[in-house]
Amino acid sequence: MSKRDYYEVLGVSRTAAEDELKKAYRRAAQKFHPDRNPGDKAAEASFKEAKEAYEVLSDGGKRRIYDQHGHAAFENGMGGGNPGGGFHDVNDIFGDIFGDIFGGGRQRGPRRGADLRYVVELDLEEAVFGVDKRIEVPTLVACKPCDGSGAEDGKVETCGTCRGRGQVRMQRGIFAVQQACPACGGRGQTIAKPCKTCHGNGRVQDEKVLQVKIPAGVDTGDRIRLAGEGEAGPPGAQPGDLYVEVDVRAHPIFQREGNDLYCEVPVRFSQAALGADIVVPTLEGEALIKVPHGTQTGKLFRLRGKGVKSVRSHGTGDLLCRVVVETPVNLTARQRELLKDFDATFEGEHGARHSPRSSGFLDGVKSFWDRMTS
Ligand SMILES: [Zn+2]
Ligand SMILES: [Zn+2]
């Protein structure tokens, strides 16, 4: 299946700035999030597609590569991954691309372990207040019996092929190239008696269990780097890093925009007309907003400091409550009568006095027809 262009997926131009990308991704994520579309395969596919596009375009380096080479550059590394708690090998993507461009032989000695990326899904409350998360990362870990050396008795010998240099010269046509010694894998040392558990590799596949401290205020796309917690390296090499990336689940009440939270507050039309004190939810309990008489649907009430405390600065966002005037349903006989009587009082009245919106609307319709017919 051919992939759609990442810019097209997010509906942004090729020159879109970072915050524009973030907004576009947030829109798509909220619309297609699996939590909001349970069992909907098409929505899930759209969600993954947007996520993948955002991951590439929001990363300056990856974006440059994508702009130059298109999807071909990422064919082996990305996509497909399991939804939610998946991980990818970051080195697979970059190691190979740069290896090809710069012609290999980029590093002396054994290559360090791969960097890993792990996506941790959080509830909004967890992201806002911070949380300790236990994660299980399937990866290569240092072999315990040999302590990662690969040698059963811990004894290593200088490699006879490269004489300990780790590199050998190879003739390729008219070129002589330096490359990692094939006998010792660039380590310069060989193992006399390989460890029985790891067969001399120094590392084994396992599930690494970590307790990760997620700071308060993180948002979707934020990454926490855990140095040295990635894949174990071969004997003598450093381990890679682990990047824990945050993915915040959609919340039933609050939507987040940066450090501000939005929520919809339904009010009865009589409350909106007469004015009322309305109880609204916040992340730290209830609060009261004073809805003045004559309030229209869509009016925003700002509760300062009731949003999200930023993870990067000392600022705290606001909570914005959007009033939605609700039409009453299942009326009793008495309520119907009262409403009919009430409605009758509007007869012969001019709209502008009691219905600012309809009169504005009717004026608009009139001038529209006047333009059409003149
Ligand atoms: Zn060697
Ligand atoms: Zn071992």
Side-chain angles (χ1 to χ4, degrees), residues 118-327:
Y118 184 93
V119 177
V120 63
E121 280 198 28
L122 301 178
D123 291 330
L124 180 66
E125 291 88 341
E126 294 177 321
V128 169
F129 297 118
V131 65
D132 279 351
K133 274 274 166 189
R134 183 178 180 275
I135 63 170
E136 290 172 17
V137 188
T139 184
L140 291 171
V141 300
C143 173
K144 280 209 181 72
C146 67
D147 201 20
S149 73
E152 195 187 319
D153 46 13
K155 263 190 211 143
V156 290
E157 292 166 359
T158 302
C159 171
T161 307
C162 63
R163 287 183 219 94
R165 288 175 57 240
Q167 299 227 319
V168 288
R169 284 172 74 82
M170 300 281 278
Q171 200 72 30
R172 273 205 200 137
I174 57 166
F175 297 107
V177 281
Q178 287 268 36
Q179 71 171 50
C181 170
C184 63
R187 276 183 292 142
Q189 293 172 327
T190 51
I191 294 157
K193 244 178 158 185
C195 163
K196 286 197 183 74
T197 307
C198 63
H199 309 290
N201 293 318
R203 46 187 188 168
V204 290
Q205 185 68 37
D206 200 1
E207 195 113 299
K208 190 169 190 164
V209 179
L210 291 166
Q211 201 75 19
V212 185
K213 209 175 168 52
I214 311 275
V218 293
D219 202 355
T220 292
D222 285 340
R223 300 213 288 183
I224 297 147
R225 176 168 170 263
L226 300 177
E229 295 290 4
E231 188 186 275
Q238 295 295 313
D241 298 334
L242 173 64
Y243 291 89
V244 177
E245 187 174 318
V246 171
D247 183 21
V248 183
R249 295 190 192 98
H251 191 274
I253 296 174
F254 299 110
Q255 286 89 50
R256 182 169 170 182
E257 285 271 354
N259 291 319
D260 291 335
L261 293 175
Y262 286 79
C263 77
E264 281 199 347
V265 179
V267 301
R268 290 197 299 276
F269 87 96
S270 46
Q271 291 177 310
L274 300 170
D277 289 347
I278 305 285
V279 174
V280 296
T282 78
L283 285 172
E284 289 156 314
E286 292 178 339
L288 209 61
I289 57 173
K290 280 196 179 306
V291 174
H293 62 87
T295 293
Q296 303 292 343
T297 274
K299 188 170 168 68
L300 281 174
F301 292 86
R302 183 182 291 268
L303 295 169
R304 294 212 179 271
K306 296 284 185 193
V308 181
K309 188 163 171 7
S310 169
V311 72
R312 290 179 186 83
S313 67
H314 292 296
T316 302
D318 302 331
L319 172 62
L320 290 118
C321 300
R322 186 172 168 273
V323 162
V324 179
V325 177
E326 195 167 32
T327 306

Side-chain angles (χ1 to χ4, degrees), residues 334-347:
R334 178 168 145 72
Q335 286 170 328
R336 286 178 64 85
E337 278 314 306
L338 285 169
L339 270 185
K340 277 182 183 167
D341 288 350
F342 173 67
D343 199 52
T345 64
F346 286 88
E347 265 163 43

